[in-house]
Amino acid sequence: AFGDGPWSAALVCTVCLSAPDTAATVTAPAGVITDTTPTYTWPDVPCAAEYRLWVSGPSGNVIDQWYDAAAVCSGDTCSVTPDTELAGGEHRTWIRTRNALGTGPWSGALEFTVCLSTPDAAAMTAPTGVITDTTPTYTWPAVPCADEYRWSMSLDIAL
């Protein structure tokens, strides 16, 4: 009776006409971690209604679980922290999408290592013996669970 009121704020929606066609990209966990129940993180994928988290570890499959996007995504980021406790060692994580129209592609694998103790000592492999190079390259094999190396040196100089 008094005229039209103001318009409501706009509401944006996406109409999906197929299964998700973009693979998710797992961003965490990565590298060396000490948390045995880490949080897995990835960007939201358009048209994905669910996400399948797959984690393999040293003894095989560890986690294989579907999650509702509305429950694990906020804004442009999705994350979940399963109760499954991981063993020490190397792990790989993948994410897969799906909606009512089908399943999308798998993500690439993201690798990480769960470390349950301090790393072992590194073993230098070069240089050895008598050398004449005043700027030698120092080498050693990677040590599991080490994320940085510190070294000191003592020299025997023969003139």
Side-chain angles (χ1 to χ4, degrees):
F2 297 103
D4 293 337
W7 286 98
S8 67
L11 183 62
V12 177
C13 67
T14 301
V15 176
C16 296
L17 302 176
S18 66
D21 59 0
T22 303
T25 302
V26 187
T27 57
V32 176
I33 67 168
T34 57
D35 186 354
T36 58
T37 55
T39 298
Y40 301 86
T41 307
W42 62 94
D44 192 18
V45 173
C47 294
E50 293 179 288
Y51 292 96
R52 182 181 185 182
L53 173 66
W54 181 284
V55 180
S56 68
S59 60
N61 181 42
V62 180
I63 299 171
D64 181 6
Q65 179 68 45
W66 283 97
Y67 295 94
D68 187 272
V72 300
C73 300
S74 178
D76 293 337
T77 303
C78 305
S79 64
V80 64
T81 308
D83 292 336
T84 304
E85 192 164 327
L86 302 179
E90 295 180 1
H91 292 75
R92 289 187 176 159
T93 304
W94 295 267
I95 296 288
R96 190 169 197 185
T97 58
R98 79 175 170 193
N99 64 21
L101 299 172
T103 305
W106 282 101
S107 69
L110 182 63
E111 297 180 0
F112 64 97
T113 301
V114 176
C115 292
L116 304 177
S117 63
T118 58
D120 293 331
M124 297 284 293
T125 55
T128 61
V130 177
I131 63 170
T132 58
D133 185 352
T134 58
T135 58
T137 299
Y138 299 93
T139 60
W140 60 92
V143 175
C145 295
D147 58 2
E148 69 178 48
Y149 298 89
R150 294 183 186 181
W151 61 278
S152 64
M153 175 177 55
S154 67
L155 295 174
D156 290 327
I157 300 175
L159 301 176

